[in-house]
Amino acid sequence: MAVVTQERKIAKWKIEEVKELEQKLKEYHTIIIASIEGFPADKLHDIRKKMRGIAEIKVTKNTLFEIASKNAGIDISKLEKYLTGPNVFIFTNKNPFEIQLFLSKFKLKRYAMPGDKADEEVVIPAGDTGMPAGPALSIFGKLKIKTKVQDGKIHVVQDTVIAKPGDPIPPDAIPILQKLGIMPVHIKLNIKAAYDNGLLIPGEQLVINLDEYKTDIAKAYHSAFGLAVEIAYPIPDVLKVSAEKAARNAITLASEIGYLTPETAQAVFSKAVAKAYALASAISGKVDLGIQVPQAQQAAPAQQAEKKEEKKEEEEKKGPSEEEIGGGLASLFGG
């Protein structure tokens, strides 16, 4: 008895889809996988428009993406765990952290549903709601929103906050919010992972806090600059501060030992005057010096010198301003 085998026919669109995906996988070095479960199709369209010229967005079946990945020579074993549920695939040559940051800044909103919490302050604005007077009045009253009836329509007397960020949105308010076109809930793509030049980065690791990074970089720069000043690292920005510090130290030493040069004379004499006043003040009650030492003058030279030195040390510790950090990093580290 002959065995009859029937070849399974693959839909033409699937073959073309795999070829297209394979081409994109070869063209772009970064692929981002994001879940679109429960994500509105129109909002995905908005993201596609925003990312035009930055990335290509493709919604396709996980199985087709898997076949295309194998054809493109990608180790699919790294991605298999993320190929579940409905996904969108983002193809780009940008840094995946840059894409994640872009998407986090691009706020999309939707209407509230029962059980939602507010992502922003929810305000019912003053004015005509367009809603006819009737049963709806009791809902406004329950929400403690002051209203009046004018020309048969409900008018809100004043702006009224019905929920603050993080607060549950009152279920009774949902129909009113929809009627007024208020969308208090933010939505965003849930990035599962990024595959960048063979490196797999889980979605949670793509989230960065820019303020923290700026602070850390600034601290690192100031520490590095302080060390560079101490060892007189030979680059212009550092040597300028190192030379100033060395000059101050030299003048301080010269004033202590009384070494006179045109540059140190003022410091040496100021130090000597300060010591003379201090000595005169100490013995003035026991020995008749024949002079009167003003109290203000006794401490003035020493205090002024100390304050001046403290100010210079503080400025040195502080280092360059934040505006100078960006330009100085490259020179400091040989970039």
Side-chain angles (χ1 to χ4, degrees):
M1 181 179 176
V3 178
V4 179
T5 60
Q6 184 175 0
E7 185 177 350
R8 183 183 175 188
K9 188 176 181 180
I10 301 175
K12 184 179 179 181
W13 72 268
K14 289 185 178 180
I15 296 174
E16 293 176 350
E17 183 93 339
V18 169
K19 288 182 179 179
E20 181 186 350
L21 290 169
E22 184 180 347
Q23 179 61 35
K24 292 185 187 302
L25 287 165
K26 292 178 179 179
E27 182 180 352
Y28 297 99
H29 62 67
T30 297
I31 305 100
I32 296 174
I33 305 173
S35 172
I36 52 172
E37 186 170 359
F39 198 86
D42 61 325
K43 302 302 181 184
L44 186 60
H45 180 65
D46 290 343
I47 290 178
R48 184 178 280 109
K49 288 195 299 184
K50 284 284 185 179
M51 299 191 74
R52 190 168 295 158
I54 300 175
E56 288 193 50
I57 297 178
K58 183 77 175 175
V59 177
T60 189
K61 292 182 176 294
N62 294 324
T63 52
L64 299 182
F65 177 81
E66 187 172 350
I67 294 170
S69 297
K70 290 178 180 177
N71 292 346
I74 293 177
D75 183 4
I76 197 64
S77 63
K78 294 182 179 182
L79 302 173
E80 282 179 341
K81 62 183 290 188
Y82 302 105
L83 298 178
T84 58
N87 290 317
V88 64
F89 301 89
I90 302 174
F91 302 88
T92 182
N93 284 322
K94 295 283 186 180
N95 185 297
F97 291 92
E98 185 178 350
I99 296 298
Q100 194 284 330
L101 186 61
F102 176 87
L103 291 173
S104 69
K105 290 181 177 180
F106 181 37
K107 290 185 179 179
L108 296 170
K109 299 181 180 181
R110 66 166 171 80
Y111 287 112
M113 296 186 293
D116 279 340
K117 292 184 177 180
D119 288 316
E120 58 186 34
E121 193 173 66
V122 184
V123 180
I124 305 297
D128 184 4
T129 65
M131 301 173 67
L137 279 170
S138 62
I139 298 178
F140 280 95
K142 189 176 180 180
L143 295 170
K144 298 180 180 179
I145 300 173
K146 294 181 180 180
T147 59
K148 66 180 180 179
V149 178
Q150 185 175 327
D151 299 327
K153 301 292 179 64
I154 299 174
H155 286 245
V156 175
V157 175
Q158 62 184 29
D159 291 354
T160 306
V161 177
I162 62 170
K164 293 183 177 181
D167 290 345
I169 298 173
D172 292 330
I174 292 177
I176 296 175
L177 295 175
Q178 291 179 350
K179 177 67 177 178
L180 298 177
I182 299 173
M183 300 181 183
V185 181
H186 298 169
I187 56 174
K188 62 180 180 179
L189 280 177
N190 177 25
I191 296 179
K192 291 182 174 181
Y195 188 78
D196 182 40
N197 286 315
L199 175 66
L200 180 68
I201 308 172
E204 60 272 15
Q205 293 183 15
L206 290 172
V207 180
I208 58 176
N209 187 317
L210 286 183
D211 290 335
E212 288 183 1
Y213 271 78
K214 286 179 181 178
T215 300
D216 290 343
I217 291 174
K219 287 181 179 178
Y221 178 83
H222 286 305
S223 297
F225 195 90
L227 175 60
V229 169
E230 288 296 325
I231 64 174
Y233 192 77
I235 60 174
D237 290 343
V238 172
L239 289 179
K240 179 181 178 181
V241 179
S242 296
E244 291 173 352
K245 183 180 179 182
R248 291 198 303 272
N249 290 341
I251 290 174
T252 300
L253 176 61
S255 66
E256 287 293 331
I257 64 174
Y259 184 79
L260 278 174
T261 68
E263 292 79 11
T264 66
Q266 182 177 353
V268 171
F269 288 130
S270 294
K271 189 78 173 180
V273 170
K275 289 182 177 180
Y277 276 129
L279 177 60
S281 177
I283 66 174
S284 61
K286 302 175 182 179
V287 179
D288 184 9
L289 298 174
I291 61 172
Q292 185 175 359
V293 181
Q295 293 297 317
Q297 282 188 315
Q298 291 178 21
Q303 288 178 346
Q304 289 175 358
E306 289 176 1
K307 288 181 179 179
K308 190 174 181 181
E309 188 64 27
E310 288 175 0
K311 183 178 180 181
K312 287 181 179 179
E313 289 179 358
E314 184 63 29
E315 290 176 351
E316 183 178 301
K317 289 179 181 178
K318 183 178 179 182
S321 64
E322 291 187 4
E323 289 76 9
E324 297 172 306
I325 289 178
L329 280 172
S331 61
L332 182 57
F333 296 105

